Amino acid sequence: MKKVDGAESLLQAHGKPEKEVYFDNGNSGWVPPEVVEAMLPYFNKYGYGHPSITNRPGWEAYEAIYEASEQIKKSIGAEFPEEINFTHNFTEANNLAITGTALANKTKGKEIIISEIEHYSVMFPCEELQRKGFKLIKIPVDKEGFVDLDKLSSAVNKNTLLVSIMAVNHEIGTIEPLKEIVEIVKDKNPETIFHTDASDAYTKTPLNVKRTGVDLLTLSSHKIHGPRGAGALYVKKGVEVEKIIYGSLSSQPLWPGVENVPAIMGFSKASSLAFKKFKEYNKYLENLRDKLIKGILEEVPDTLLNGPLGNKRVSDNANISFLRVEGEAVTVELSLHGIYVSSGSACTSRVLEPSHVLLAIGRKYEEAHGSVLFKLMRFHKREDIEYTLKVIPKSIKRLRKISAIKS
Ligand SMILES: Cc1ncc(COP(=O)(O)O)c(C=O)c1O
C-alpha cells in the first residue's frame, strides 16, 4: 500500500476537533455499540470455530450463520435461508451476481443490460464480460436519475440474459421504481434474470423479493451500520449462478473460504435493529435530510441539489454541488471542523475523475467536481445538522476565495 504524503501532517497539525459529525456512512458506516457487542463473543467465547468443521466451536459458528441467514431472509421476504449467500463485502456479491449468472446461463443469450448509473462493482464486471464477447447495453437516466423505461423496454429481447438495475442510487439517492422495472423486463422476456444492487435501499425503502420479483439481490452490511467484512447475495431458489472463485470448504456453496462469523453476526444484528423501527427511523432521517438540504441551498449561493426531492429520494441522502470549489477541497476543509463527508463519487474519492452518475444526469464537469455527499444516519441529532449548517456557509466562502475556479 502506498504512503500518502501530507496525510500524517494534516492529522497532526489539526488534532481531533471538539465536535464530530460523520456523514460518510455510504462509504463506511458508523457501527453502534450494540452491534459491536453482538460480534464480540464470536472472536473468542462462542462460535469462534470454522463453520464447516465438526467440533463444538465449529457447530456453534454454523448455527450462528444459519440464524443470521434467517434474519436476512426474513428482512427481504425471501423464502429459504439457503437463498442467502454471505460474501465478504458487496463488491464480491455484485461480481458473483453478474459473472456467476453469465457463466451459468450462457444458453439463455449473450446480452446484458444495466443502467448508466450503476456502481462500479456492477459496471466493471459487465464491461469485462463485454470484452469477452457479451453485448452490453447501458440504459440512460433522466436528470433526476430515473432509468428511461421506454429505452429499457425496447432493449430487452429474447437474447437478454441478465438485467441489473440498482434499487437506490448510491450517490444521488434516486429510488428507482423496481417493481415496475422488473415487470417491464419479465414481460418482454420471462427467462431474463434480474439482479438489483440494493445496498443503498436496504433498511431505507421497503424491499421484498417476492413483491418486486427480483431473482438476485445484493445486500450491504456497512451501509446499515453493520461492520465491514460482510455482504450478501440473495439468489432465488432455482436460479442458476456459478461460482467465480474456487477454494476450500465453506457453508456458503457459492463463496468458498472461511466465513467472517463475527462480521456476519454484526450484519445480522444491524439488520434486526434497523427493522425494529423501520418507519420511525426513516421518517426521522427524512426530516434531518430535508433540513440539511434546505439549509444549504438557502444559505450558500450557487449550489445545486443532485437527485430528486421528497419521497422519490432515499431518506439518508443529500448530495449537493457547490459551484466554483473542488469537492475534495470541501472534504478536507470540513474535516478540520469535524464534519466528515465524501466528494464526487462514493467509493471513488482520491480518483479525481468526475462521477459517472453526475455526468449521466447531465451535470457539467465543473458541477460534478464540486459535489459533496452527505449520508445521514439515525444516530444523528438535530444539533449535528445545525452545527453543520453553521460551518458550511463560512467554509464554502473561504474556499471560493482561494479557489482557482472563478466562473
Ligand atoms: C451501491 C454500492 N454497491 C456496492 C458497493 C461496494 O461495497 P464494498 O465496498 O463493501 O464492496 C458500494 C460502495 O460503498 C456501493 O455504493
Side-chain angles (χ1 to χ4, degrees), residues 75-78 163 165-168 175-187 192-198 201 205-219 234 236:
S75 72
I76 54 167
V163 175
I165 292 177
M166 65 200 330
V168 165
I175 304 176
E176 299 292 345
L178 194 59
K179 187 168 185 288
E180 198 182 337
I181 288 177
V182 179
E183 273 167 12
I184 288 172
V185 171
K186 298 278 181 178
D187 271 357
T192 298
I193 296 166
F194 192 96
H195 167 250
T196 187
D197 177 353
T205 65
L207 263 186
N208 183 300
V209 290
K210 289 260 173 64
R211 199 182 66 80
T212 50
V214 301
D215 299 304
L216 309 167
L217 175 137
T218 295
L219 290 169
Y234 157 81
K236 183 168 141 194

Side-chain angles (χ1 to χ4, degrees), residues 25-28 88-94 117-122 166 168-171 197-200 218 220-223 228-231 346-347 375:
N25 293 289
N27 287 319
S28 182
H88 296 101
N89 55 43
F90 3 131
T91 294
E92 293 174 359
N94 280 340
I117 58 170
E118 293 304 311
H119 187 264
Y120 287 150
S121 55
V122 164
M166 65 200 330
V168 165
N169 184 267
H170 53 303
E171 283 184 47
D197 177 353
S199 307
D200 280 75
T218 295
S220 53
S221 168
H222 70 66
K223 292 210 190 208
R228 277 159 286 175
C347 316
K375 271 283 223 181

Side-chain angles (χ1 to χ4, degrees), residues 35 39 42-43 88 221 226-230 260-269:
V35 170
M39 294 169 66
Y42 297 93
F43 288 103
H88 296 101
S221 168
R228 277 159 286 175
N260 188 344
V261 182
I264 291 170
M265 297 316 285
F267 178 17
S268 168
K269 180 74 182 179

Side-chain angles (χ1 to χ4, degrees), residues 8-304:
E8 234 168 60
S9 54
L10 183 87
L11 290 174
Q12 275 163 11
H14 295 280
K16 206 166 151 84
E18 252 170 55
K19 185 162 175 65
E20 295 187 297
V21 189
Y22 186 70
F23 283 115
D24 202 14
N25 293 289
N27 287 319
S28 182
W30 184 82
V31 182
E34 297 104 294
V35 170
V36 176
E37 265 161 39
M39 294 169 66
L40 290 178
Y42 297 93
F43 288 103
N44 52 20
K45 286 207 172 67
Y46 180 88
Y48 47 84
H50 191 307
S52 299
I53 308 289
T54 51
N55 55 33
R56 188 181 182 91
W59 277 117
E60 289 169 353
Y62 187 92
E63 279 298 301
I65 299 182
Y66 180 78
E67 268 172 37
S69 58
E70 280 281 351
Q71 162 60 32
I72 305 296
K73 175 204 92 171
K74 198 173 69 186
S75 72
I76 54 167
E79 203 165 347
F80 307 103
E82 310 84 274
E83 293 176 321
I84 307 302
N85 298 270
F86 289 112
T87 56
H88 296 101
N89 55 43
F90 3 131
T91 294
E92 293 174 359
N94 280 340
N95 272 263
L96 175 61
I98 304 296
T99 311
T101 300
L103 290 177
N105 297 279
K106 281 188 201 124
T107 53
K108 285 194 170 156
K110 288 202 94 183
E111 295 190 17
I112 298 173
I113 299 174
I114 60 173
S115 79
E116 271 186 352
I117 58 170
E118 293 304 311
H119 187 264
Y120 287 150
S121 55
V122 164
M123 194 174 279
F124 288 171
C126 288
E127 288 175 355
E128 184 57 24
L129 288 169
Q130 186 181 28
R131 285 187 281 276
K132 291 186 172 139
F134 286 80
K135 180 173 173 190
L136 176 61
I137 302 163
K138 293 182 186 168
I139 306 295
V141 295
D142 68 13
K143 61 186 188 343
E144 291 187 328
F146 292 102
V147 170
D148 185 325
L149 300 182
D150 292 334
K151 291 225 165 78
L152 173 66
S153 176
S154 28
V156 182
N157 63 63
K158 65 180 184 353
N159 291 319
T160 309
L161 160 65
L162 172 70
V163 175
S164 179
I165 292 177
M166 65 200 330
V168 165
N169 184 267
H170 53 303
E171 283 184 47
I172 56 172
T174 314
I175 304 176
E176 299 292 345
L178 194 59
K179 187 168 185 288
E180 198 182 337
I181 288 177
V182 179
E183 273 167 12
I184 288 172
V185 171
K186 298 278 181 178
D187 271 357
K188 292 290 294 282
N189 182 351
E191 293 293 301
T192 298
I193 296 166
F194 192 96
H195 167 250
T196 187
D197 177 353
S199 307
D200 280 75
Y202 190 42
T203 75
K204 309 287 162 21
T205 65
L207 263 186
N208 183 300
V209 290
K210 289 260 173 64
R211 199 182 66 80
T212 50
V214 301
D215 299 304
L216 309 167
L217 175 137
T218 295
L219 290 169
S220 53
S221 168
H222 70 66
K223 292 210 190 208
I224 65 159
H225 306 295
R228 277 159 286 175
L233 181 67
Y234 157 81
V235 180
K236 183 168 141 194
K237 195 168 181 184
V239 172
E240 298 289 329
V241 175
E242 214 170 287
K243 266 196 271 201
I244 58 167
I245 62 165
Y246 295 86
S248 59
L249 301 178
S250 163
S251 64
Q252 311 296 299
L254 287 176
W255 209 252
V258 66
E259 300 82 347
N260 188 344
V261 182
I264 291 170
M265 297 316 285
F267 178 17
S268 168
K269 180 74 182 179
S271 163
S272 61
L273 288 174
F275 283 106
K276 243 184 197 163
K277 295 185 184 167
F278 174 84
K279 277 201 178 137
E280 191 180 311
Y281 289 150
N282 282 299
K283 191 86 222 129
Y284 178 70
L285 277 169
E286 277 169 16
N287 284 335
L288 292 188
R289 174 199 69 187
D290 292 346
K291 184 177 167 66
L292 181 68
I293 292 178
K294 189 164 176 279
I296 297 177
L297 296 184
E298 277 176 10
E299 293 304 318
V300 188
D302 301 330
T303 44
L304 301 168

Side-chain angles (χ1 to χ4, degrees), residues 11 47 84 213 325 364 402:
L11 290 174
I84 307 302
V325 287
K364 298 189 193 105
I402 58 175

